[in-house]
């Protein structure tokens, strides 16, 4: 098996060239999830070294449907860097990506640090300044999204971009399990779901992340954004597409692809 830094270099090069590569587990031998997070760390460290700071985190594979599809029973996480943020009203420039996909998520903006092995959803909600409707923009560095669980962990959970909607909502008094979403692509209904699709409760998903980070001596910080996981399947996008996610109570988010 190659060193984590060498595996990370392959992913960084794929992103820079805009060309998908074969799964690392196919071309470089099998590696476990712990090693995969070391590769991810090296990918993210490279971005930070290039002046692209970490601004938050994301969870993936949080729905039972997606876990079954991937034959795993664990979610995964990755990191959001400043260059991934697409402001509300800005277009999603597809040429920046290899094979972009969009999926609707509930985003948490933290007002307090969160760390510890015993954090639960209630503590996540208490540490949250506001929740937002969000679009997670995925872009696997593996051709055709063909990967194993360790591969996609190494690839920073397919993280590529994110958009936060323009409406901030205090989660107090909201039951995010019941927050419905209607996903449309080019005016056509694509999927519907509710917040409970995300590990039973989007705040429980963030709590899982905090506990997972604690096993590595890490945590989340005030001011960071956390994408709690997709409520629906991701939809492929190309120039000209318009993605709209209508959330009950949280508002609507629209992304125009160029
Ligand atoms: O945000 C996510 O759910 C990423 C999960 C990784 C699998 C994928 O690329 O769909
Ligand atoms: Mg996602």
């Amino acid at each position: 098996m190659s060193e984590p830094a060498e595996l990370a270099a392959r992913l960084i090069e794929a992103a820079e060239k805009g060309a998908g590569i074969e799964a690392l587990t196919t071309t470089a031998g099998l590696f476990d999830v712990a090693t995969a997070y070391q590769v991810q760390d090296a990918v993210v460290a490279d971005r930070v070294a290039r002046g692209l700071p970490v601004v938050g985190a994301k969870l993936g594979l949080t729905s039972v449907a997606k876990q079954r599809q991937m034959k795993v029973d664990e979610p995964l996480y990755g990191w959001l860097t400043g260059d991934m943020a697409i402001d509300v009203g800005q277009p999603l420039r597809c040429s920046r990506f290899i094979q972009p996909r969009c999926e609707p998520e509930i985003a948490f903006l933290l007002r307090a640090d969160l760390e510890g092995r015993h954090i639960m959803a209630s503590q996540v909600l208490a540490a949250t300044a506001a929740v937002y409707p969000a679009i997670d923009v995925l872009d696997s560095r593996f051709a055709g999204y063909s990967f194993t669980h360790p591969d996609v962990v190494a690839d920073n959970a397919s993280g590529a971009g994110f958009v936060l909607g323009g409406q901030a909502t205090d989660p107090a008094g909201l039951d995010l399990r019941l927050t419905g979403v209607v996903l449309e692509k080019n005016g056509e209904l694509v999927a519907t779901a509710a917040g409970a699709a995300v590990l039973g409760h989007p705040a429980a998903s963030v709590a899982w992340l905090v506990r997972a980070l604690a096993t590595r001596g890490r945590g989340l910080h005030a001011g960071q954004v956390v994408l709690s996981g997709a409520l629906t399947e991701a939809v492929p996008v190309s120039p000209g597409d318009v993605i709209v996610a209508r959330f009950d109570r949280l508002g609507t988010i629209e992304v125009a692809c160029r």
Side-chain angles (χ1 to χ4, degrees), residues 58-61 66 76 103 105 136 138 145 147 152 157-158:
K58 61 168 281 181
L59 287 117
L61 304 183
K66 238 175 156 175
L76 51 76
E103 55 189 19
E105 307 206 5
D136 182 19
L138 303 175
Y145 283 78
F147 46 65
V152 68
S158 303

Side-chain angles (χ1 to χ4, degrees), residues 49 144 171 183 205 211 228:
L183 181 66
S205 180
R211 295 194 300 271
S228 60

